[in-house]
């Protein structure tokens, strides 16, 4: 188990401003370490300490940033209850975006905790799109709660664990994303877009 000092150092590492590419590299190094290092594996699965923020916020933030922001911009994760989860600055250091990571449901995180605690986890079987369809009401409920605050000057990223569309189910997947996009409350979300596997869907 990581010591309190080690966890503090880990937090300092997370807070470092990085380009999108550097953030991806950092996230991958920690993720791989949590799979092979005995001192990291259990805290990682159980989301102990700053591993909760790392897996719930920084990991999806890195994937989103790598697909959306220019390569010379910097992304700085913010830990704690500070209103937003990250600040984004352009190459000149000007603040250009603030990011909030919303997690309506994360089945992989639940499965990871079950596996770490009990050695077994649930196994779900269904058709392509069933997993996303099941969480759409939860996504929209989370969006409604977020709509209490005006995010028109920021970006809200809803991180959802769902499989990509299987071959032959792409149209259904696009329809599901369109329903999520169109149902996002306004004016809290002045512009709503959905991203499939972190790719922008117009």
């Amino acid at each position: 188990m990581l010591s309190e000092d080690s966890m503090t150092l880990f937090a300092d590492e997370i807070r470092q401003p990085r380009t999108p590419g550097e953030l991806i590299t950092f996230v991958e190094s920690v993720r791989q370490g949590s799979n092979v290092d005995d001192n990291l594996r259990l805290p990682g699965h159980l989301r102990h300490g700053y591993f909760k923020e790392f897996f719930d916020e920084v990991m999806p933030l890195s994937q989103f940033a790598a697909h959306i922001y220019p390569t010379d911009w910097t992304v700085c994760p913010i830990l704690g209850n500070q209103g937003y989860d990250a600040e984004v600055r352009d190459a000149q250091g000007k603040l250009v975006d603030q990011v909030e990571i919303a997690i309506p449901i994360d089945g992989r995180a639940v499965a990871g905790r079950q596996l770490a605690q009990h050695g077994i986890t649930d196994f779900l079987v269904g058709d392509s799109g069933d997993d996303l369809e099941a969480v759409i009401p939860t996504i929209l409920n989370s969006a409604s709660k977020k709509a209490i605050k005006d995010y028109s000057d920021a970006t809200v990223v809803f991180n959802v664990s769902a499989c990509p569309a299987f071959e032959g189910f792409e149209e259904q997947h696009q329809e599901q994303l369109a329903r999520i996009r169109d149902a996002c409350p306004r004016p809290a979300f002045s512009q709503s877009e959905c991203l499939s596997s972190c790719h922008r869907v117009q």
Side-chain angles (χ1 to χ4, degrees):
M1 190 69 69
L2 291 176
S3 67
E4 185 174 339
D5 288 343
S6 297
M7 195 62 76
T8 300
L9 289 173
F10 181 44
D12 290 340
E13 285 187 88
I14 292 175
R15 294 188 184 101
Q16 292 296 316
R18 293 177 172 88
T19 66
E22 291 170 342
L23 187 58
I24 282 284
T25 300
F26 168 69
V27 164
E28 279 301 299
S29 68
V30 175
R31 188 186 65 81
Q32 292 176 8
S34 67
N35 288 332
V36 299
D37 189 326
D38 290 339
N39 290 321
L40 299 178
R41 186 181 297 112
L42 188 60
H45 281 308
L46 298 180
R47 302 297 198 260
H48 282 169
Y50 290 109
F51 277 100
K52 176 173 175 54
E53 284 89 345
F54 175 82
F55 284 105
D56 289 354
E57 298 171 6
V58 181
M59 182 176 286
L61 172 66
S62 70
Q63 297 169 356
F64 179 79
H67 283 88
I68 298 300
Y69 300 123
T71 57
D72 59 351
W73 287 16
T74 56
V75 182
C76 183
I78 300 172
L79 299 179
N81 187 19
Q82 302 296 323
Y84 297 99
D85 295 317
E87 292 183 344
V88 182
R89 297 181 183 273
D90 63 18
Q92 288 70 47
K94 178 183 177 182
L95 181 66
V96 292
D97 200 3
Q98 297 177 107
V99 182
E100 171 78 2
I101 304 292
I103 308 175
I105 187 169
D106 189 347
R108 289 175 299 181
V110 173
R113 286 192 291 271
Q114 290 177 337
L115 189 61
Q117 291 175 319
H118 308 297
I120 59 173
T121 188
D122 296 334
F123 184 80
L124 301 179
V125 178
D127 293 328
S128 179
D130 283 357
D131 53 350
L132 180 56
E133 189 66 36
V135 300
I136 287 177
T138 309
I139 296 170
L140 299 182
N141 181 56
S142 177
S144 295
K145 291 179 180 179
K146 290 287 183 184
I148 296 173
K149 182 177 178 180
D150 182 6
Y151 284 102
S152 58
D153 62 342
T155 299
V156 180
V157 178
F158 291 89
N159 177 39
V160 181
S161 296
C163 295
F166 293 167
E167 185 176 353
F169 289 86
E170 294 86 356
E171 185 175 342
Q172 172 190 295
H173 188 68
Q174 294 302 318
E175 183 272 331
Q176 290 173 314
L177 294 178
R179 276 194 285 134
I180 296 171
R181 179 194 63 220
D182 295 341
C184 282
R186 277 115 169 131
F189 303 104
S190 59
Q191 182 178 5
S192 299
E193 293 175 298
C194 290
L195 294 101
S196 175
S197 300
C198 283
H199 287 81
R200 194 183 299 273
V201 178
Q202 301 293 347

